[in-house]
Amino acid sequence: SCFFTDDEKNKYINWVNHVVSLHRGPRIDTFRVMFTFDDGDVHHFNKWVIFALSKKVENLHLSSVLSETFVYDLGFDVLKPSLGVNFLKTLHLKEINVSGDVLEYLLSHYRLLERLHVEGSETVVRLRIVALSCKLKQLTIRFYDNLEELVIDAANLEYLEYSSVKWNTNVLFKSMPLLVEAKFGGSCFANSCSIIPQMSHLAAQISTLHLILTVSVFSPLKSAHFLACILSFLYNLNSLAYNRFVFR
């Protein structure tokens, strides 16, 4: 569901509710919803998510089409450990507001979670990805415009993507001993005192590094300083001599 008229949206909601009510299988492999929200739709969407979790869903994809008047908030009332969370392996959230506390809760209770994609949340100010007891292998964090602090401590993480339009987020990569591929983009490099040193101590272990740099948003002087920091960083990456490096 993307941009429906009210009548079309009501028909769609009724159809999904009907399909959900008829489902008798014990498990669901993948549940994917893309929807345009307003206040009156929230209880339907909550019902669908709770249904998917109760059916021990392994891959859950939730996407909200951008609205000028309403953004869906995914909260504790929907994500409960008793509703099959131990089966969830993939969680993909796009344009869904989800707080840092809720994400920390997910990582502490969803022990089989391997892939987490969070994109476009407006509510997260501080985000701590501490995944010491779960199987998190792939983490994608995109476009958290209000993010002030990011801490990642993930023992099993193999792939990390971080892209942001906010340049002054404080970033701390604590422990990612299995990380082999990383992708960084957006304006996060503008804060050379934060992100570049954090990347440097990962250089010895990663085999593929993607840098997607945007310097046109800066003044010429700041762009020159920015590129100087990046070039200095690349010069010191001796361990990438035999690795694959992607620069765009």
Side-chain angles (χ1 to χ4, degrees):
S1 168
C2 293
F3 298 103
F4 284 162
T5 65
D6 288 342
D7 287 343
E8 290 172 332
K9 185 168 66 172
N10 288 333
K11 288 180 181 179
Y12 177 80
I13 289 173
N14 291 334
W15 173 74
V16 174
N17 285 336
H18 180 65
V19 171
V20 166
S21 68
L22 293 177
H23 191 276
R24 295 292 182 268
R27 299 187 65 170
I28 294 177
D29 178 76
T30 300
F31 190 82
R32 188 188 309 266
V33 178
M34 182 178 181
F35 203 70
T36 303
F37 289 99
D38 58 42
D39 288 324
D41 303 323
V42 172
H43 70 285
H44 293 293
F45 195 80
N46 286 344
K47 177 181 176 181
W48 300 340
V49 175
I50 291 172
F51 160 78
L53 291 175
S54 70
K55 292 295 184 176
K56 304 175 182 178
V57 65
E58 292 188 5
N59 306 289
L60 183 60
H61 299 254
L62 308 177
S63 180
S64 172
V65 178
L66 287 176
S67 170
E68 295 181 357
T69 59
F70 184 79
V71 179
Y72 176 76
D73 290 281
L74 185 64
F76 289 107
D77 54 334
V78 176
L79 301 168
K80 297 179 179 178
S82 60
L83 293 178
V85 295
N86 287 329
F87 296 90
L88 195 63
K89 295 182 179 179
T90 301
L91 181 61
H92 190 288
L93 304 176
K94 183 176 181 181
E95 307 299 343
I96 301 285
N97 274 349
V98 55
S99 70
D101 289 340
V102 169
L103 287 176
E104 290 179 31
Y105 173 86
L106 291 174
L107 292 170
S108 64
H109 289 83
Y110 291 35
R111 300 299 178 89
L112 297 181
L113 189 65
E114 296 182 358
R115 295 168 291 274
L116 176 61
H117 179 117
V118 287
E119 178 175 348
S121 177
E122 299 177 351
T123 56
V124 176
V125 177
R126 292 177 177 82
L127 180 57
R128 295 177 56 85
I129 302 295
V130 179
L132 302 180
S133 58
C134 76
K135 296 184 177 182
L136 188 66
K137 296 180 180 179
Q138 299 179 17
L139 173 63
T140 298
I141 302 171
R142 292 181 183 167
F143 308 128
Y144 272 32
D145 295 353
N146 299 314
L147 190 63
E148 296 179 0
E149 181 182 68
L150 173 63
V151 178
I152 300 178
D153 191 359
N156 297 305
L157 197 66
E158 299 174 358
Y159 173 84
L160 170 64
E161 177 180 344
Y162 173 53
S163 180
S164 175
V165 297
K166 185 176 176 65
W167 67 270
N168 58 347
T169 301
N170 291 320
V171 178
L172 177 59
F173 299 149
K174 297 187 75 171
S175 177
M176 295 181 284
L178 301 183
L179 191 73
V180 293
E181 182 173 359
K183 182 177 182 179
F184 300 101
S187 302
C188 60
F189 293 101
N191 185 3
S192 59
C193 294
S194 178
I195 188 70
I196 293 179
Q198 297 298 317
M199 291 167 51
S200 297
H201 81 261
L202 299 174
Q205 66 190 69
I206 57 178
S207 58
T208 302
L209 176 61
H210 304 258
L211 298 183
I212 303 174
L213 310 179
T214 303
V215 298
S216 59
V217 297
F218 305 122
S219 66
L221 182 61
K222 193 168 186 178
S223 295
H225 173 71
F226 172 53
L227 289 175
C229 291
I230 290 294
L231 292 174
S232 176
F233 165 70
L234 297 179
Y235 178 79
N236 290 307
L237 287 184
N238 296 326
S239 61
L240 281 177
Y242 300 99
N243 295 340
R244 177 167 165 252
F245 181 75
V246 180
F247 183 88
R248 288 194 279 168

